Amino acid sequence: METKQLMEKAVKFHGHSCPGVATGVLVAKYILDHDNEFSIDEELVAVVENDNCSVDALQSLLGTTFGKGNLIFKDYGKNNYTIFNRDRKKAVKLSAKPRSFGDRELSREERIQQLLNSNPEDVFEIKPVEFKPPERAQIRESIICENCGEPTMSTRIINYKNKKLCIPCYEQLKKE
Ligand SMILES: [Zn+2]
Ligand SMILES: [Zn+2]
């Protein structure tokens, strides 16, 4: 698919046009252009190192979403994207090149156009990486928080003063 069409689809999902979503479109374009290695019909996992607008392009174009558990967010504040294909045991990492985000003199609209006219290789350092995908999300039992009564994933329950508490209740009660 052409970059322009990918952008249209991503903007529809994201709600506005911006340089962030254009950046994510280039990530998705690289993956879609390498469908011999990363077909979206196979089991893809995206590990992203930011939670900015770009991630919505991956959700809408690659089908890597929070709900399905194949979108993993690491809060590193970097425009890095690692895509794994569980079926073929392949992985590739796209890391934003330092200069690609430095054009401060461009307007927002010019920046979007510049990105959309670029190849993924212009904007990202692209390298195959070792196939070490994140573990699959497990379904864990729920425990009732003894303060608010809401069922809470057992791994998020904190024992505090002999009570099993969810995180917000713990944060609240420890202040009292
Ligand atoms: Zn945006
Ligand atoms: Zn609670």
Side-chain angles (χ1 to χ4, degrees):
M1 219 190 281
E2 292 299 312
T3 310
K4 193 170 168 274
Q5 289 163 278
L6 295 174
M7 183 67 176
E8 279 169 16
K9 194 175 169 194
V11 165
K12 215 172 191 180
F13 177 83
H14 180 56
H16 64 225
S17 173
C18 64
V21 82
T23 302
V25 162
L26 289 179
V27 175
K29 182 173 166 54
Y30 178 84
I31 297 302
L32 296 168
D33 284 349
H34 290 76
D35 59 358
N36 53 332
E37 291 175 18
F38 294 97
S39 165
I40 54 169
D41 296 327
E42 294 171 325
E43 210 184 331
L44 299 186
V45 181
V47 176
V48 300
E49 300 183 18
N50 63 77
D51 60 353
N52 66 30
C53 299
S54 65
V55 178
D56 275 357
L58 274 62
Q59 296 206 83
S60 61
L61 301 173
L62 298 181
T64 49
T65 70
F66 269 122
K68 276 191 277 179
N70 58 354
L71 174 64
I72 310 293
F73 166 50
K74 293 193 172 169
D75 195 1
Y76 297 164
K78 298 186 190 186
N79 281 298
N80 291 345
Y81 308 84
T82 308
I83 313 294
F84 296 90
N85 181 348
R86 287 198 201 271
D87 290 335
R88 290 172 193 250
K89 305 208 181 326
K90 292 248 176 212
V92 67
K93 181 172 181 180
L94 292 87
S95 321
K97 291 180 182 174
R99 235 180 257 146
S100 60
F101 292 89
D103 288 324
R104 288 276 152 77
E105 66 276 14
L106 293 183
S107 72
R108 179 184 163 100
E109 205 44 51
E110 288 168 333
R111 183 82 192 104
I112 294 168
Q113 284 315 315
Q114 189 195 53
L115 282 163
L116 296 180
N117 291 330
S118 302
N119 293 311
E121 291 81 358
D122 302 329
V123 177
F124 295 102
E125 208 67 68
I126 304 173
K127 283 193 213 117
V129 289
E130 206 187 333
F131 181 75
K132 276 192 178 169
E135 282 180 41
R136 279 191 173 78
Q138 286 176 10
I139 298 182
R140 300 185 197 269
E141 62 163 333
S142 285
I143 289 178
I144 307 293
C145 168
E146 290 179 44
N147 189 58
C148 68
E150 291 180 355
T152 305
M153 196 163 71
S154 60
T155 53
R156 297 293 182 274
I157 286 283
I158 298 165
N159 278 300
Y160 180 69
K161 293 189 177 170
N162 291 322
K163 277 191 169 180
K164 291 185 170 64
L165 300 174
C166 70
I167 292 170
C169 288
Y170 165 73
E171 300 282 346
Q172 184 58 40
L173 291 182
K174 78 173 179 187
K175 281 190 227 149
E176 287 171 5

